[in-house]
Structures are given as structure tokens and as C-alpha cells.
């Protein structure tokens, strides 16, 4: 993942490696484009999810194999705080395989971080200051990317292997809706500028959910739309290239 600082002068990259040998996050300048610093830690095995707070002072990283969370101060690019996503996770950096933190999202007020636990079928909620766990929220199977609605009231979670989207109330930290049949293997989510619709990018690797016949050997990806006001799935299907994952709506 990549995050860019609020002043557009600095970027950060998680160096994910499924073998677990990459245990670093790099900081780079945008002009000139070059790496300027690196942070590493034995527990930062396969860093993947990452989020930057609103003023750019703190970077939050989750290691998918190590199953640890890190708060990094961007000024000196040092780890300020680290904690396991669950008390059962060992400090060795090898993890348990039971959680697999995938994405990190900050609450709109920057007080909490939400982490999709892909192998645990949950979303973990943690205090952004000390990384203490606040709550574990049951969602669908293999939760991947998440995003808050434009008003910050709800968090939409893509559950890849159950073809659902869970909607979490940001205040009560409870699932208030589970939208079923959201295409095949929903992966990424973003919202239209007016906030009326969520756009869900679905990998669609195990079936067909489009309207034009498939051509060639690659599966056709599909995006779906959800009306935010009442959490209902629209009939619209937008076919696209194979394996759509992350998605950004136009601004």
C-alpha cells in the first residue's frame, strides 16, 4: 500500500512479501522521487495495511504474517508503539495464521484504527494512541478492504469469500447491515462524491456476473453499486478488466 502526506511531499510504502522476508516500510520524497528512510522490525513480517492520520504525523501499519500493529512517527520515522492484534500472537514475528491483518483504516476523528482480520473473519478496533484493542466485530468471510462513508457514520467492509458487504456503525461498533449477493468476491470499496453510492470492485475469479460474454482466458471483473441511504444493492453491473481489487471513485 502507498500513503501520501497531506502536503504531497512525502510518501510511504509497505513492502509486502508473502514469504515474510520483507519486514520494512519505506519513506520517499515525491520530488525528487527517491527513498529517504526505512523502518524495520522483526515483528513487521509482510507489512500490508497502512493508514496515515489527518495531519500526517503518525503512520499506522499492520504486518499480515507477524500479526502486529505499529504506530510510526513520521518526523523521525521511528516506531513509537507496537502491539499484537490479539494477545495470542507471539512476539517472534511469525504470527499465528489466525488473524492475517489486511487493511488499516483510521476513524474520522483519528482516535481509533479499524483493521480487517482476513483469517479471523473479524474487524478489530484499536486505540490509535496505545494500540490497545477496543473491540472485535464479527463480519463475513475473508474481510479485505474497508472505507468509511463520506459522513463518517458507517464503515463498509468487503467480505471476499461470502460475497457480502458488512456495514459497521462507527459509534456503536456493531454491524447494522449485511448486504448479500454483492457480486463475486468483493474486494475494494469507495464512495461517489455525493456519498449516495458505494462502488464495490469484485474480483469475479470463480464465476461470471456480467452481461457481455467473456473473451479470452482472463475472467471478467465486475463492479457493483450499493445505495448508502438504505443499504440496498443496485442492479447495475459494470464489467471491467480481470481481478479488480482496489478502487477509487472520481472526485
Amino acid at each position: 500500500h502507498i500513503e501520501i502526506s497531506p502536503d504531497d511531499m512525502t510518501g510511504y510504502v509497505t513492502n509486502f512479501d508473502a514469504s515474510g522476508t520483507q519486514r520494512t516500510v519505506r519513506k520517499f520524497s515525491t520530488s525528487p522521487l527517491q527513498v529517504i528512510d526505512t523502518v524495520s522490525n522483526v515483528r513487521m513480517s509482510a507489512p500490508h495495511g497502512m493508514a496515515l492520520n489527518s495531519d500526517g504525523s503518525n503512520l499506522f501499519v499492520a504486518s499480515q504474517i507477524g500479526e502486529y500493529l505499529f504506530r510510526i512517527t513520521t518526523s523521525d520515522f521511528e516506531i513509537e508503539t507496537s502491539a499484537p492484534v490479539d494477545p495470542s500472537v507471539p512476539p517472534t514475528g511469525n504470527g499465528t495464521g489466525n488473524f492475517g491483518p489486511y487493511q488499516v483504516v483510521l476513524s474520522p476523528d483519528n482516535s481509533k484504527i479499524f483493521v480487517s482480520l482476513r483469517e479471523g473473519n473479524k474487524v478489530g478496533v484499536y486505540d490509535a494512541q496505545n494500540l490497545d484493542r477496543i473491540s472485535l466485530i464479527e463480519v463475513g468471510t475473508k474481510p479485505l478492504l474497508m472505507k468509511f462513508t463520506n459522513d463518517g457514520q458507517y464503515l463498509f467492509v468487503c467480505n471476499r469469500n461470502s460475497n457480502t458487504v458488512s456495514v459497521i456503525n462507527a459509534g456503536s461498533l456493531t454491524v447494522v447491515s449485511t448486504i448479500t449477493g454483492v457480486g463475486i468476491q468483493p474486494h475494494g470499496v469507495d464512495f461517489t462524491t455525493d456519498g449516495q453510492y458505494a462502488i464495490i470492485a469484485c474480483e469475479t475469479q470463480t464465476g461470471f456476473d456480467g452481461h457481455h460474454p467473456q473473451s479470452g482466458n482472463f475472467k471478467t471483473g465486475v463492479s457493483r453499486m450499493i445505495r448508502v441511504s438504505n443499504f440496498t444493492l443496485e442492479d447495475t453491473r459494470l464489467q471491467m478488466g480481470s481481478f479488480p481489487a482496489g478502487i477509487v471513485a472520481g472526485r
Side-chain angles (χ1 to χ4, degrees), residues 12-13 15 22-28 35-41 44 72 76-79:
Y12 308 90
V13 180
N15 297 301
Q22 281 280 1
R23 302 184 183 214
T24 62
V25 174
R26 290 194 170 94
K27 179 180 182 179
F28 64 90
V35 174
I36 56 177
D37 209 344
T38 301
V39 64
S40 63
N41 187 277
M44 199 181 280
I72 300 167
D76 58 8
F77 211 50
E78 296 287 343
I79 295 172

Side-chain angles (χ1 to χ4, degrees), residues 39-120:
V39 64
S40 63
N41 187 277
V42 67
R43 301 180 183 112
M44 199 181 280
S45 181
H48 190 272
M50 177 172 57
L52 191 65
N53 67 350
S54 57
D55 66 5
S57 61
N58 284 278
L59 185 70
F60 298 88
V61 175
S63 57
Q64 190 167 304
I65 293 177
E67 299 181 332
Y68 255 74
L69 302 175
F70 303 87
R71 179 168 65 85
I72 300 167
T73 52
T74 57
S75 56
D76 58 8
F77 211 50
E78 296 287 343
I79 295 172
E80 187 71 20
T81 308
S82 66
V85 298
D86 184 86
S88 64
V89 174
T92 60
N94 297 325
T96 65
N98 297 325
F99 303 98
Y102 193 80
Q103 192 195 16
V104 177
V105 175
L106 270 163
S107 60
D109 65 359
N110 286 211
S111 67
K112 294 183 284 293
I113 61 171
F114 291 71
V115 183
S116 55
L117 303 174
R118 188 180 68 169
E119 305 305 324

Side-chain angles (χ1 to χ4, degrees), residues 164-178:
T164 63
V165 169
S166 298
V167 181
I168 296 173
N169 182 292
S172 64
L173 302 181
T174 58
V175 174
V176 294
S177 181
T178 300

Side-chain angles (χ1 to χ4, degrees), residues 4 26 32 52 59 62 66 78 95 110 121 146 161 205 219 239 251:
I4 302 296
R26 290 194 170 94
L52 191 65
L59 185 70
E78 296 287 343
N110 286 211
N121 305 325
M146 315 174 288
N161 284 21
Q205 294 296 293
K219 295 280 189 179
Q239 289 191 189
R251 295 287 184 262

Side-chain angles (χ1 to χ4, degrees), residues 10-21:
T10 309
Y12 308 90
V13 180
T14 50
N15 297 301
F16 175 79
D17 177 4
S19 72
T21 56

Side-chain angles (χ1 to χ4, degrees), residues 132-242:
D132 287 347
R133 192 169 70 192
I134 298 169
S135 180
L136 272 180
I137 305 169
E138 292 269 359
V139 290
T141 310
K142 301 287 186 187
L144 297 180
L145 301 186
M146 315 174 288
K147 190 160 187 178
F148 278 97
T149 52
N150 295 5
D151 61 8
Q153 188 173 359
Y154 301 105
L155 181 70
F156 276 53
V157 184
C158 294
N159 304 309
R160 181 190 185 273
N161 284 21
S162 56
N163 298 341
T164 63
V165 169
S166 298
V167 181
I168 296 173
N169 182 292
S172 64
L173 302 181
T174 58
V175 174
V176 294
S177 181
T178 300
I179 305 162
T180 61
V182 186
I184 300 171
Q185 300 163 322
H187 191 126
V189 55
D190 199 4
F191 297 91
T192 54
T193 305
D194 59 12
Q196 292 190 42
Y197 295 96
I199 314 296
I200 310 297
C202 302
E203 296 174 14
T204 325
Q205 294 296 293
T206 60
F208 182 76
D209 191 37
H211 43 84
H212 293 110
Q214 182 174 313
S215 177
N217 296 324
F218 293 99
K219 295 280 189 179
T220 302
V222 175
S223 282
R224 301 294 302 273
M225 296 176 65
I226 297 171
R227 187 179 291 273
V228 173
S229 60
N230 55 9
F231 309 138
T232 57
L233 184 67
E234 300 286 299
D235 290 332
T236 304
R237 288 168 169 80
L238 176 64
Q239 289 191 189
M240 51 187 57
S242 183

